[in-house]
Amino acid sequence: METVVSGIRPTGKVHLGNYFGAVKNFLQMQHEHHCFFFIADYHSLTTHPHPADLHASVKQVLSEYLACGLDPNVCTLYLQSDLPETAELYMFLNMNAYMGELERVSSFKDKVRTQPDNVNAGLLTYPVLMAADIILHHATKVPVGKDQEQHLEMARTFAGRFNRIYETEYFQEPHAFNYGKELVKVPGLGGKGKMSKSENENLAIFLADEDDAIHKKVMRAVTDTGSAEPNQPLSEPIQNLFDLMALVSREDTLNHFTDAHANATIRYGDLKKQLAEDMVTFVSPIRQKLQAIHKDNELLAKIAKQGAEKAHDSAAKTIREVREIIGFRKF
Ligand code: ADP
Ligand code: TRP
């Protein structure tokens, strides 16, 4: 049994990219490992959310975790901000994190390009906070999507550097994990790029989406102009729709449309209609559970409290030991 940590930023709602990249793995891992799953609400402060929006998003993501099937009696489910030890470890790690290496992280470079007016220190040190989340519980496995691979590499760097500086083997190196062979990248509906809540909302399917919203978004998904020639390679937008179909549809459905494409008899309208139906079949039971859980403030409060207590036991022990290693000792 290994220790597992993963989190999702509460910047809106959970989409199918988050589900298939991360949460689906959590559901199985919780029964096989010692798991900590959290809502990364400190991380979300880099975008300066309004307090009411932050609170609403945290509540939404906690409800979504539960609706997907995370069991707070099996795993530890908590809010990052309930664990101030995270911030303390982040501060210690920051002392040995260098400008040059942080500036080279591609998610940071993307933000510099896309939001030049808000390049704050929290964004620069985002991978340090993420490393603190992970090594605070001595996790070795971190279920995340492909976009987080480089952050995991940084977490290994910071854990290894702490060990070298203090001549210890205290922290282990964490690795990104997925049950499949490779980390997952779920495409969006815009013809290119990953599904994401940060970009156009219409290109992502959320677990909270109503059936007709799902139909509308999928029917508007980008395709190509089609070809009358058989056995043509798949264009990127069509490959993306097939990739989505592979996640939510039956294998024979996918095979049917793959053959239809190869024979050049495919009608993209039919493909999208089927994909929309299969997404609705997948999403609607989760959405219904979500609606019931989201109303139950008492349940959510109880679960958050129980999670904070369990996570605190592990975090407090680490911080006690780290302080000793660093040299903050009693007289
Ligand atoms: P977003 O990218 O929408 O802002 P987060 O950054 O909060 O979402 O991601 C939370 C988790 O979901 C991470 O493990 C991330 O790797 C995963 N994830 C997000 N988008 C995708 C995607 N399109 N495909 C696969 N995994 C994804
Ligand atoms: N950075 C992750 C994301 O945006 C969320 C996250 C924060 C995380 N801390 C983590 C994921 C620790 C795994 C482990 O997707």
Side-chain angles (χ1 to χ4, degrees):
M1 183 138 75
E2 294 187 58
T3 300
V4 174
V5 165
S6 192
I8 293 190
R9 281 178 302 144
T11 46
K13 299 165 290 180
V14 173
H15 53 72
L16 291 182
N18 303 135
Y19 183 88
F20 288 104
V23 181
K24 186 169 184 230
N25 289 287
F26 303 177
L27 299 178
Q28 188 173 341
M29 291 179 104
Q30 66 180 343
H31 298 294
E32 296 171 1
H33 296 284
H34 185 211
C35 289
F36 295 87
F37 299 120
F38 68 96
I39 296 164
D41 49 1
Y42 282 156
H43 278 276
S44 67
L45 297 184
T46 58
T47 58
H48 308 159
H50 187 282
D53 293 340
L54 175 62
H55 180 69
S57 291
V58 169
K59 183 178 171 192
Q60 178 75 19
V61 176
L62 179 58
S63 308
E64 295 191 290
Y65 270 151
L66 295 165
C68 288
L70 281 189
D71 181 346
N73 296 315
V74 175
C75 64
T76 301
L77 188 54
Y78 66 97
L79 314 190
Q80 188 184 31
S81 60
D82 278 334
L83 224 53
E85 292 87 349
T86 308
E88 187 168 351
L89 184 56
Y90 166 56
M91 190 254 302
F92 293 152
L93 296 178
N94 264 330
M95 302 302 173
N96 297 301
Y98 294 97
M99 284 293 282
E101 63 189 346
L102 294 171
E103 281 170 340
R104 279 195 299 276
V105 174
S106 53
S107 59
F108 178 72
K109 289 197 288 194
D110 284 350
K111 297 289 178 191
V112 172
R113 212 164 13 85
T114 56
Q115 50 176 69
D117 296 338
N118 183 24
V119 183
N120 58 62
L123 272 182
L124 181 72
T125 57
Y126 187 106
V128 188
L129 179 54
M130 186 162 160
D133 292 325
I134 297 168
I135 67 178
L136 186 61
H137 301 296
H138 301 278
T140 48
K141 278 191 153 85
V142 185
V144 282
K146 193 158 177 50
D147 57 322
Q148 299 297 314
E149 217 165 18
Q150 195 182 17
H151 290 158
L152 262 295
E153 206 178 298
M154 299 295 289
R156 287 192 288 279
T157 301
F158 298 134
R161 190 173 294 157
F162 181 95
N163 288 351
R164 263 192 310 285
I165 291 173
Y166 295 108
E167 296 176 350
T168 168
E169 289 174 9
Y170 186 67
F171 287 122
Q172 282 171 278
E173 291 195 342
H175 290 272
F177 178 83
N178 182 281
Y179 277 104
K181 276 195 295 299
E182 287 175 17
L183 298 182
V184 176
K185 178 180 159 199
V186 177
L189 296 169
K192 58 180 166 40
K194 65 162 188 163
M195 189 174 286
S196 162
K197 58 195 162 229
S198 335
E199 315 218 338
N200 185 345
E201 282 240 328
N202 290 325
L203 307 181
I205 301 291
F206 296 95
L207 298 178
D209 278 347
E210 299 286 342
D211 297 354
D212 60 334
I214 296 178
H215 274 286
K216 282 201 188 104
K217 287 187 201 177
V218 176
M219 294 314 288
R220 281 199 297 252
V222 173
T223 56
D224 60 24
T225 50
S227 165
E229 295 287 312
N231 300 319
Q232 293 301 302
L234 291 170
S235 66
E236 191 179 353
I238 302 303
Q239 178 69 54
N240 287 352
L241 295 181
F242 276 46
D243 287 351
L244 289 167
M245 195 168 238
L247 298 172
V248 295
S249 301
R250 291 161 37 136
E251 204 179 329
D252 55 349
T253 306
L254 181 63
N255 291 341
H256 166 78
F257 285 101
T258 308
D259 292 346
H261 185 274
N263 305 332
T265 56
I266 192 166
R267 291 210 311 233
Y268 292 149
D270 295 344
L271 170 74
K272 292 203 268 190
K273 194 155 165 280
Q274 183 68 47
L275 179 60
E277 266 167 40
D278 293 339
M279 281 187 174
V280 165
T281 304
F282 179 80
V283 168
S284 67
I286 301 179
R287 184 187 67 235
Q288 280 156 21
K289 281 196 210 121
L290 170 64
Q291 285 165 348
I293 293 169
H294 192 266
K295 282 194 216 125
D296 196 341
N297 270 327
E298 213 173 301
L299 173 78
L300 294 172
K302 193 180 116 219
I303 288 172
K305 183 163 178 281
Q306 173 190 333
E309 283 164 7
K310 282 206 279 178
H312 175 75
D313 289 343
S314 151
K317 178 171 185 291
T318 303
I319 288 297
R320 234 183 3 258
E321 291 167 350
V322 163
R323 285 175 149 268
E324 172 69 26
I325 291 170
I326 290 179
F328 296 119
R329 294 173 186 162
K330 299 251 177 301
F331 293 110

mmCIF file of all heavy atoms in Angstrom, residues 6-11 15-22 26 126 143-148 184-188 194-198, ligand 1:
data_model
loop_
_atom_site.group_PDB
_atom_site.id
_atom_site.type_symbol
_atom_site.label_atom_id
_atom_site.label_comp_id
_atom_site.label_asym_id
_atom_site.label_seq_id
_atom_site.Cartn_x
_atom_site.Cartn_y
_atom_site.Cartn_z
ATOM 1 N N SER A 6 -3.774 13.890 -4.196
ATOM 2 C CA SER A 6 -4.091 14.678 -5.382
ATOM 3 C C SER A 6 -5.132 15.733 -5.038
ATOM 4 O O SER A 6 -5.875 15.582 -4.070
ATOM 5 C CB SER A 6 -4.584 13.795 -6.524
ATOM 6 O OG SER A 6 -4.600 14.564 -7.719
ATOM 7 N N GLY A 7 -5.164 16.783 -5.864
ATOM 8 C CA GLY A 7 -6.117 17.865 -5.608
ATOM 9 C C GLY A 7 -6.644 18.469 -6.885
ATOM 10 O O GLY A 7 -6.068 18.284 -7.958
ATOM 11 N N ILE A 8 -7.748 19.178 -6.748
ATOM 12 C CA ILE A 8 -8.323 19.925 -7.869
ATOM 13 C C ILE A 8 -8.577 21.352 -7.403
ATOM 14 O O ILE A 8 -9.085 21.566 -6.300
ATOM 15 C CB ILE A 8 -9.647 19.272 -8.345
ATOM 16 C CG1 ILE A 8 -9.347 17.903 -8.964
ATOM 17 C CG2 ILE A 8 -10.376 20.166 -9.344
ATOM 18 C CD1 ILE A 8 -10.510 17.277 -9.683
ATOM 19 N N ARG A 9 -8.205 22.312 -8.250
ATOM 20 C CA ARG A 9 -8.441 23.718 -7.893
ATOM 21 C C ARG A 9 -9.930 24.037 -8.010
ATOM 22 O O ARG A 9 -10.571 23.664 -8.979
ATOM 23 C CB ARG A 9 -7.693 24.643 -8.855
ATOM 24 C CG ARG A 9 -6.227 24.750 -8.529
ATOM 25 C CD ARG A 9 -5.542 25.637 -9.530
ATOM 26 N NE ARG A 9 -5.722 25.109 -10.877
ATOM 27 C CZ ARG A 9 -5.887 25.857 -11.960
ATOM 28 N NH1 ARG A 9 -5.912 27.163 -11.865
ATOM 29 N NH2 ARG A 9 -6.036 25.301 -13.136
ATOM 30 N N PRO A 10 -10.481 24.750 -7.019
ATOM 31 C CA PRO A 10 -11.908 25.087 -7.094
ATOM 32 C C PRO A 10 -12.110 26.369 -7.895
ATOM 33 O O PRO A 10 -12.429 27.404 -7.348
ATOM 34 C CB PRO A 10 -12.279 25.287 -5.627
ATOM 35 C CG PRO A 10 -11.022 25.823 -5.011
ATOM 36 C CD PRO A 10 -9.881 25.209 -5.755
ATOM 37 N N THR A 11 -11.904 26.288 -9.194
ATOM 38 C CA THR A 11 -12.107 27.487 -10.021
ATOM 39 C C THR A 11 -13.307 27.237 -10.927
ATOM 40 O O THR A 11 -13.198 27.348 -12.133
ATOM 41 C CB THR A 11 -10.856 27.805 -10.860
ATOM 42 O OG1 THR A 11 -10.412 26.577 -11.445
ATOM 43 C CG2 THR A 11 -9.759 28.386 -10.035
ATOM 44 N N HIS A 15 -15.075 19.158 -14.813
ATOM 45 C CA HIS A 15 -15.448 18.768 -16.180
ATOM 46 C C HIS A 15 -14.938 17.359 -16.482
ATOM 47 O O HIS A 15 -14.243 16.740 -15.662
ATOM 48 C CB HIS A 15 -14.939 19.796 -17.195
ATOM 49 C CG HIS A 15 -13.469 20.101 -17.093
ATOM 50 N ND1 HIS A 15 -12.493 19.227 -17.485
ATOM 51 C CD2 HIS A 15 -12.823 21.196 -16.622
ATOM 52 C CE1 HIS A 15 -11.310 19.766 -17.285
ATOM 53 N NE2 HIS A 15 -11.472 20.956 -16.751
ATOM 54 N N LEU A 16 -15.275 16.871 -17.678
ATOM 55 C CA LEU A 16 -14.901 15.488 -18.004
ATOM 56 C C LEU A 16 -13.383 15.303 -18.075
ATOM 57 O O LEU A 16 -12.886 14.198 -17.869
ATOM 58 C CB LEU A 16 -15.553 15.060 -19.323
ATOM 59 C CG LEU A 16 -17.079 14.881 -19.289
ATOM 60 C CD1 LEU A 16 -17.591 14.399 -20.638
ATOM 61 C CD2 LEU A 16 -17.508 13.888 -18.199
ATOM 62 N N GLY A 17 -12.638 16.381 -18.368
ATOM 63 C CA GLY A 17 -11.168 16.301 -18.353
ATOM 64 C C GLY A 17 -10.666 15.997 -16.948
ATOM 65 O O GLY A 17 -9.845 15.097 -16.746
ATOM 66 N N ASN A 18 -11.187 16.735 -15.962
ATOM 67 C CA ASN A 18 -10.820 16.466 -14.572
ATOM 68 C C ASN A 18 -11.230 15.044 -14.188
ATOM 69 O O ASN A 18 -10.486 14.340 -13.501
ATOM 70 C CB ASN A 18 -11.544 17.408 -13.594
ATOM 71 C CG ASN A 18 -11.318 18.880 -13.857
ATOM 72 O OD1 ASN A 18 -12.266 19.657 -13.827
ATOM 73 N ND2 ASN A 18 -10.090 19.276 -14.125
ATOM 74 N N TYR A 19 -12.432 14.648 -14.633
ATOM 75 C CA TYR A 19 -12.942 13.332 -14.236
ATOM 76 C C TYR A 19 -12.040 12.219 -14.759
ATOM 77 O O TYR A 19 -11.547 11.394 -13.992
ATOM 78 C CB TYR A 19 -14.397 13.123 -14.723
ATOM 79 C CG TYR A 19 -14.938 11.798 -14.238
ATOM 80 C CD1 TYR A 19 -15.566 11.698 -13.000
ATOM 81 C CD2 TYR A 19 -14.749 10.637 -14.985
ATOM 82 C CE1 TYR A 19 -16.010 10.472 -12.518
ATOM 83 C CE2 TYR A 19 -15.187 9.401 -14.510
ATOM 84 C CZ TYR A 19 -15.813 9.332 -13.275
ATOM 85 O OH TYR A 19 -16.228 8.114 -12.801
ATOM 86 N N PHE A 20 -11.814 12.227 -16.086
ATOM 87 C CA PHE A 20 -11.059 11.109 -16.657
ATOM 88 C C PHE A 20 -9.553 11.245 -16.416
ATOM 89 O O PHE A 20 -8.840 10.244 -16.383
ATOM 90 C CB PHE A 20 -11.382 10.941 -18.148
ATOM 91 C CG PHE A 20 -12.757 10.376 -18.361
ATOM 92 C CD1 PHE A 20 -13.806 11.189 -18.776
ATOM 93 C CD2 PHE A 20 -13.017 9.038 -18.099
ATOM 94 C CE1 PHE A 20 -15.084 10.673 -18.948
ATOM 95 C CE2 PHE A 20 -14.294 8.512 -18.262
ATOM 96 C CZ PHE A 20 -15.326 9.328 -18.686
ATOM 97 N N GLY A 21 -9.055 12.487 -16.267
ATOM 98 C CA GLY A 21 -7.628 12.670 -16.002
ATOM 99 C C GLY A 21 -7.279 12.353 -14.555
ATOM 100 O O GLY A 21 -6.215 11.830 -14.263
ATOM 101 N N ALA A 22 -8.184 12.667 -13.647
ATOM 102 C CA ALA A 22 -7.831 12.558 -12.236
ATOM 103 C C ALA A 22 -8.849 11.735 -11.429
ATOM 104 O O ALA A 22 -8.537 10.643 -10.947
ATOM 105 C CB ALA A 22 -7.694 13.968 -11.646
ATOM 106 N N PHE A 26 -8.937 8.324 -8.711
ATOM 107 C CA PHE A 26 -9.132 8.422 -7.254
ATOM 108 C C PHE A 26 -10.091 7.324 -6.778
ATOM 109 O O PHE A 26 -9.914 6.751 -5.710
ATOM 110 C CB PHE A 26 -9.766 9.751 -6.817
ATOM 111 C CG PHE A 26 -9.069 11.034 -7.204
ATOM 112 C CD1 PHE A 26 -9.650 12.262 -6.874
ATOM 113 C CD2 PHE A 26 -7.859 11.054 -7.869
ATOM 114 C CE1 PHE A 26 -9.046 13.452 -7.196
ATOM 115 C CE2 PHE A 26 -7.246 12.255 -8.205
ATOM 116 C CZ PHE A 26 -7.848 13.463 -7.867
ATOM 117 N N TYR A 126 3.831 28.354 -7.778
ATOM 118 C CA TYR A 126 2.741 27.358 -7.819
ATOM 119 C C TYR A 126 3.271 25.928 -7.667
ATOM 120 O O TYR A 126 2.753 25.141 -6.870
ATOM 121 C CB TYR A 126 1.983 27.547 -9.146
ATOM 122 C CG TYR A 126 0.735 26.730 -9.323
ATOM 123 C CD1 TYR A 126 -0.531 27.316 -9.224
ATOM 124 C CD2 TYR A 126 0.795 25.374 -9.610
ATOM 125 C CE1 TYR A 126 -1.681 26.568 -9.403
ATOM 126 C CE2 TYR A 126 -0.352 24.618 -9.789
ATOM 127 C CZ TYR A 126 -1.584 25.214 -9.684
ATOM 128 O OH TYR A 126 -2.719 24.474 -9.853
ATOM 129 N N PRO A 143 -2.190 10.843 -8.715
ATOM 130 C CA PRO A 143 -3.024 10.718 -9.913
ATOM 131 C C PRO A 143 -3.405 12.089 -10.474
ATOM 132 O O PRO A 143 -4.121 12.849 -9.848
ATOM 133 C CB PRO A 143 -4.269 9.970 -9.398
ATOM 134 C CG PRO A 143 -4.316 10.238 -7.935
ATOM 135 C CD PRO A 143 -2.913 10.491 -7.475
ATOM 136 N N VAL A 144 -2.906 12.384 -11.662
ATOM 137 C CA VAL A 144 -3.157 13.678 -12.334
ATOM 138 C C VAL A 144 -3.189 13.442 -13.843
ATOM 139 O O VAL A 144 -2.747 12.397 -14.330
ATOM 140 C CB VAL A 144 -2.028 14.714 -12.057
ATOM 141 C CG1 VAL A 144 -2.146 15.330 -10.688
ATOM 142 C CG2 VAL A 144 -0.648 14.102 -12.260
ATOM 143 N N GLY A 145 -3.685 14.444 -14.567
ATOM 144 C CA GLY A 145 -3.651 14.404 -16.031
ATOM 145 C C GLY A 145 -2.279 14.783 -16.552
ATOM 146 O O GLY A 145 -1.392 15.206 -15.792
ATOM 147 N N LYS A 146 -2.126 14.631 -17.855
ATOM 148 C CA LYS A 146 -0.818 14.818 -18.485
ATOM 149 C C LYS A 146 -0.260 16.231 -18.273
ATOM 150 O O LYS A 146 0.949 16.431 -18.173
ATOM 151 C CB LYS A 146 -0.941 14.516 -19.980
ATOM 152 C CG LYS A 146 0.376 14.378 -20.674
ATOM 153 C CD LYS A 146 0.308 13.602 -21.957
ATOM 154 C CE LYS A 146 1.644 13.567 -22.654
ATOM 155 N NZ LYS A 146 2.751 13.161 -21.797
ATOM 156 N N ASP A 147 -1.163 17.217 -18.186
ATOM 157 C CA ASP A 147 -0.706 18.610 -18.031
ATOM 158 C C ASP A 147 0.070 18.842 -16.731
ATOM 159 O O ASP A 147 0.726 19.874 -16.597
ATOM 160 C CB ASP A 147 -1.924 19.549 -18.095
ATOM 161 C CG ASP A 147 -2.975 19.204 -17.041
ATOM 162 O OD1 ASP A 147 -3.195 18.013 -16.783
ATOM 163 O OD2 ASP A 147 -3.553 20.134 -16.465
ATOM 164 N N GLN A 148 0.011 17.910 -15.787
ATOM 165 C CA GLN A 148 0.688 18.114 -14.500
ATOM 166 C C GLN A 148 2.048 17.417 -14.398
ATOM 167 O O GLN A 148 2.693 17.445 -13.347
ATOM 168 C CB GLN A 148 -0.206 17.624 -13.353
ATOM 169 C CG GLN A 148 -1.530 18.357 -13.258
ATOM 170 C CD GLN A 148 -1.341 19.818 -12.965
ATOM 171 O OE1 GLN A 148 -0.552 20.193 -12.093
ATOM 172 N NE2 GLN A 148 -2.039 20.671 -13.695
ATOM 173 N N VAL A 184 -3.521 10.885 -18.984
ATOM 174 C CA VAL A 184 -4.624 11.185 -19.903
ATOM 175 C C VAL A 184 -4.663 12.665 -20.262
ATOM 176 O O VAL A 184 -4.419 13.530 -19.418
ATOM 177 C CB VAL A 184 -5.963 10.798 -19.211
ATOM 178 C CG1 VAL A 184 -7.154 11.171 -20.068
ATOM 179 C CG2 VAL A 184 -5.973 9.315 -18.900
ATOM 180 N N LYS A 185 -4.975 12.941 -21.546
ATOM 181 C CA LYS A 185 -5.289 14.314 -21.924
ATOM 182 C C LYS A 185 -6.625 14.292 -22.663
ATOM 183 O O LYS A 185 -6.713 13.802 -23.791
ATOM 184 C CB LYS A 185 -4.187 14.874 -22.829
ATOM 185 C CG LYS A 185 -4.477 16.283 -23.294
ATOM 186 C CD LYS A 185 -3.379 16.806 -24.188
ATOM 187 C CE LYS A 185 -3.929 17.950 -25.018
ATOM 188 N NZ LYS A 185 -3.118 18.225 -26.187
ATOM 189 N N VAL A 186 -7.670 14.761 -22.002
ATOM 190 C CA VAL A 186 -9.010 14.744 -22.592
ATOM 191 C C VAL A 186 -9.176 16.002 -23.455
ATOM 192 O O VAL A 186 -8.975 17.110 -22.957
ATOM 193 C CB VAL A 186 -10.094 14.715 -21.480
ATOM 194 C CG1 VAL A 186 -11.486 14.760 -22.083
ATOM 195 C CG2 VAL A 186 -9.918 13.486 -20.606
ATOM 196 N N PRO A 187 -9.531 15.832 -24.741
ATOM 197 C CA PRO A 187 -9.664 17.015 -25.597
ATOM 198 C C PRO A 187 -10.948 17.790 -25.320
ATOM 199 O O PRO A 187 -11.905 17.242 -24.772
ATOM 200 C CB PRO A 187 -9.698 16.419 -27.011
ATOM 201 C CG PRO A 187 -10.201 15.034 -26.833
ATOM 202 C CD PRO A 187 -9.794 14.579 -25.461
ATOM 203 N N GLY A 188 -10.976 19.051 -25.719
ATOM 204 C CA GLY A 188 -12.197 19.860 -25.643
ATOM 205 C C GLY A 188 -12.995 19.709 -26.930
ATOM 206 O O GLY A 188 -12.652 18.901 -27.803
ATOM 207 N N LYS A 194 -6.853 20.896 -24.970
ATOM 208 C CA LYS A 194 -7.454 20.046 -23.931
ATOM 209 C C LYS A 194 -8.733 20.663 -23.388
ATOM 210 O O LYS A 194 -8.933 21.877 -23.477
ATOM 211 C CB LYS A 194 -6.447 19.825 -22.801
ATOM 212 C CG LYS A 194 -6.085 21.087 -22.048
ATOM 213 C CD LYS A 194 -5.452 20.778 -20.699
ATOM 214 C CE LYS A 194 -5.290 22.046 -19.891
ATOM 215 N NZ LYS A 194 -5.072 21.896 -18.484
ATOM 216 N N MET A 195 -9.568 19.819 -22.817
ATOM 217 C CA MET A 195 -10.766 20.315 -22.146
ATOM 218 C C MET A 195 -10.317 21.055 -20.892
ATOM 219 O O MET A 195 -9.486 20.562 -20.133
ATOM 220 C CB MET A 195 -11.684 19.146 -21.777
ATOM 221 C CG MET A 195 -13.033 19.605 -21.266
ATOM 222 S SD MET A 195 -14.186 18.251 -20.983
ATOM 223 C CE MET A 195 -14.658 17.762 -22.615
ATOM 224 N N SER A 196 -10.868 22.249 -20.685
ATOM 225 C CA SER A 196 -10.400 23.065 -19.571
ATOM 226 C C SER A 196 -11.475 24.062 -19.152
ATOM 227 O O SER A 196 -12.267 24.504 -19.978
ATOM 228 C CB SER A 196 -9.143 23.814 -20.013
ATOM 229 O OG SER A 196 -8.896 24.891 -19.154
ATOM 230 N N LYS A 197 -11.502 24.370 -17.856
ATOM 231 C CA LYS A 197 -12.507 25.348 -17.427
ATOM 232 C C LYS A 197 -11.985 26.766 -17.611
ATOM 233 O O LYS A 197 -12.746 27.714 -17.602
ATOM 234 C CB LYS A 197 -12.930 25.099 -15.986
ATOM 235 C CG LYS A 197 -11.815 25.141 -14.994
ATOM 236 C CD LYS A 197 -12.251 24.538 -13.673
ATOM 237 C CE LYS A 197 -11.054 24.162 -12.832
ATOM 238 N NZ LYS A 197 -11.090 22.841 -12.287
ATOM 239 N N SER A 198 -10.668 26.889 -17.765
ATOM 240 C CA SER A 198 -10.096 28.233 -17.878
ATOM 241 C C SER A 198 -10.425 28.851 -19.236
ATOM 242 O O SER A 198 -10.480 30.051 -19.372
ATOM 243 C CB SER A 198 -8.590 28.207 -17.696
ATOM 244 O OG SER A 198 -8.206 27.100 -16.934
HETATM 245 P P1 ADP B 1 -8.349 22.909 -15.333
HETATM 246 O O1 ADP B 1 -7.188 22.501 -16.192
HETATM 247 O O2 ADP B 1 -9.638 22.723 -15.999
HETATM 248 O O3 ADP B 1 -8.179 24.301 -14.752
HETATM 249 P P2 ADP B 1 -7.318 21.728 -12.905
HETATM 250 O O4 ADP B 1 -6.067 22.407 -13.287
HETATM 251 O O5 ADP B 1 -7.916 22.103 -11.582
HETATM 252 O O6 ADP B 1 -8.380 21.904 -14.094
HETATM 253 O O7 ADP B 1 -7.064 20.172 -12.932
HETATM 254 C C1 ADP B 1 -7.393 19.234 -11.935
HETATM 255 C C2 ADP B 1 -6.982 17.849 -12.381
HETATM 256 O O8 ADP B 1 -7.645 17.506 -13.603
HETATM 257 C C3 ADP B 1 -5.479 17.677 -12.679
HETATM 258 O O9 ADP B 1 -5.072 16.403 -12.274
HETATM 259 C C4 ADP B 1 -5.392 17.799 -14.164
HETATM 260 O O10 ADP B 1 -4.286 17.115 -14.687
HETATM 261 C C5 ADP B 1 -6.686 17.144 -14.593
HETATM 262 N N1 ADP B 1 -7.132 17.672 -15.898
HETATM 263 C C6 ADP B 1 -7.603 18.905 -16.180
HETATM 264 N N2 ADP B 1 -7.936 19.019 -17.488
HETATM 265 C C7 ADP B 1 -7.661 17.808 -18.053
HETATM 266 C C8 ADP B 1 -7.797 17.262 -19.371
HETATM 267 N N3 ADP B 1 -8.318 17.976 -20.360
HETATM 268 N N4 ADP B 1 -7.400 15.996 -19.575
HETATM 269 C C9 ADP B 1 -6.905 15.244 -18.565
HETATM 270 N N5 ADP B 1 -6.757 15.688 -17.306
HETATM 271 C C10 ADP B 1 -7.131 16.945 -17.040
#
